[in-house]
């Protein structure tokens, strides 16, 4: 059975970087069994209704950022959609009572293509992009992932792309170390994920240290709850990688069985 993953996508410039994290993601893509399709929730596609991509040809590459290196705007990631998996997603969401709509035109934003390009640089695996809804409760986010758990048995890889500590206003451009508050939040998160303490995780904004600094808005955090929900059957969480850039921007990867 395929795992589900949470992968921090960092800044768009990650696509051009060569560091321990990009090397890790490249190796991860090589080590995983090749999936039939990838289902990816990006923090940069938000909607109050669950949207599922129904692109039939190649995705356009969306450059939803400004002020970065010119080379970034030349990158293409022409992955294909996958009608069979889109139909299966609609089926399991409907059975779970989750309202869902399709989107036939939207391309892949940087939360999707930066990660996918590092994992699968040939863009030879079909992709189904899904939106996130910041207004759902933590339990509802988990249930979105839970509804997709059966796809893992069909060799489909479920990925939540976001960031556990993601506060652009608190980035420290001069820092050579890691801010203590960011590490405290991620350490709390690690403990709750490894013990599968959903009650605490669903109330992270009230219980976790430095939660407001780490997660000023929830759209980058909720993909980890979705990915976790997809691993509900065995309830096993493993931290595969963690590092930080600019003092507190977390680059982490979690695997859920």
């Amino acid at each position: 059975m395929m795992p589900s993953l949470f992968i921090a996508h960092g800044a768009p410039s990650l696509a051009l970087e060569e560091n321990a994290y990009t090397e890790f993601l490249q190796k991860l893509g090589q080590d995983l069994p090749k999936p039939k399709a990838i289902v990816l929730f990006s923090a940069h596609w938000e909607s109050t209704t669950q949207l599922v991509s129904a692109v039939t040809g190649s995705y356009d590459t969306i450059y939803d950022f400004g002020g970065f290196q010119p080379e970034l705007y030349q990158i293409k990631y022409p992955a294909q959609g996958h009608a069979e998996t889109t139909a299966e997603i609609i089926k399991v969401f409907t059975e779970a009572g989750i309202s869902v709509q399709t989107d036939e035109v939207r391309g892949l934003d940087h939360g999707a293509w930066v990660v996918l390009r590092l994992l699968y640089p040939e863009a030879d695996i079909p992709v189904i992009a899904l939106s996130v809804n910041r207004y759902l409760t933590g339990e509802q986010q988990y249930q979105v992932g839970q509804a997709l758990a059966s796809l893992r048995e069909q060799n489909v890889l479920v990925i939540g792309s976001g960031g556990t500590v993601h506060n652009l206003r608190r980035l420290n451009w001069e820092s050579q170390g890691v801010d203590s508050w960011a590490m405290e939040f991620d350490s709390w998160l690690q403990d709750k994920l490894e013990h599968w303490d959903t009650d605490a995780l669903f109330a992270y904004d009230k219980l976790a240290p430095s939660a407001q600094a780490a997660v000023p808005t929830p759209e980058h955090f909720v993909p980890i709850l979705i990915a976790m929900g997809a691993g509900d059957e065995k309830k096993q969480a493993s931290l595969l990688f963690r590092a930080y850039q600019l003092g507190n921007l977390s680059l982490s990867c979690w695997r859920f069985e």
Side-chain angles (χ1 to χ4, degrees):
M1 182 185 292
M2 293 296 290
S4 59
L5 300 171
F6 170 79
I7 301 177
H9 58 249
S13 54
L14 188 71
L16 299 175
E17 295 174 11
E18 295 182 6
N19 55 39
Y21 188 49
T22 60
E23 291 174 6
F24 160 77
L25 290 177
Q26 289 163 355
K27 187 174 186 303
L28 179 63
Q30 296 166 6
D31 291 345
L32 287 169
K34 187 172 183 178
K36 176 180 76 173
I38 300 168
V39 172
L40 187 144
F41 292 83
S42 171
H44 290 277
W45 187 12
E46 290 193 70
S47 174
T48 54
T49 298
Q50 181 63 64
L51 297 177
V52 180
S53 174
V55 169
T56 54
S58 297
Y59 284 91
D60 291 332
T61 304
I62 302 175
Y63 309 104
D64 51 334
F65 47 82
F68 286 87
Q69 303 97 313
E71 304 96 295
L72 271 178
Y73 303 90
Q74 306 303 315
I75 293 175
K76 304 289 185 184
Y77 193 80
Q80 302 278 318
H82 197 249
E84 176 188 337
T85 305
T86 295
E88 182 65 17
I89 292 169
I90 294 168
K91 176 178 177 288
V92 297
F93 276 158
T94 301
E95 291 174 350
I98 297 170
S99 179
V100 59
Q101 296 178 9
T102 57
D103 183 295
E104 291 78 21
V105 298
R106 191 178 191 276
L108 296 176
D109 60 63
H110 82 269
W113 65 259
V114 168
V115 166
L116 292 172
R117 185 169 175 268
L118 288 164
L119 290 172
Y120 302 107
E122 300 302 318
D124 57 349
I125 299 172
V127 174
I128 300 87
L130 291 95
S131 65
V132 299
N133 180 359
R134 68 167 71 192
Y135 300 105
L136 298 181
T137 65
E139 183 175 12
Q140 288 172 322
Q141 306 286 0
Y142 187 93
Q143 290 168 348
V144 169
Q146 208 173 359
L148 298 175
S150 62
L151 272 70
R152 296 172 49 217
E153 300 174 2
Q154 303 172 36
N155 199 32
V156 173
L157 177 62
V158 178
I159 298 176
S161 172
T164 57
V165 180
H166 188 273
N167 188 338
L168 302 185
R169 294 179 181 273
R170 296 288 294 271
L171 296 182
N172 188 343
W173 297 88
E174 306 299 326
S175 176
Q176 299 299 313
V178 183
D179 293 340
S180 60
W181 60 266
M183 294 184 66
E184 288 170 358
F185 178 84
D186 268 344
S187 294
W188 181 93
L189 181 63
Q190 179 177 353
D191 176 70
K192 304 310 176 188
L193 288 169
E194 290 177 346
H195 289 90
W196 214 269
D197 187 348
T198 53
D199 288 341
L201 288 164
F202 296 162
Y204 77 91
D205 54 333
K206 302 177 183 65
L207 300 179
S210 303
Q212 299 309 311
V215 188
T217 56
E219 76 288 339
H220 275 75
F221 184 81
V222 296
I224 200 168
L225 298 179
I226 296 171
M228 184 187 189
D232 177 75
E233 183 177 350
K234 290 188 178 180
K235 298 181 172 61
Q236 295 178 1
S238 303
L239 178 62
L240 303 184
F241 187 96
R242 184 164 66 204
Y244 297 86
Q245 291 181 322
L246 304 175
N248 53 65
L249 181 64
S250 65
L251 301 176
S252 60
C253 178
W254 281 89
R255 176 180 177 132
F256 303 99
E257 302 294 347

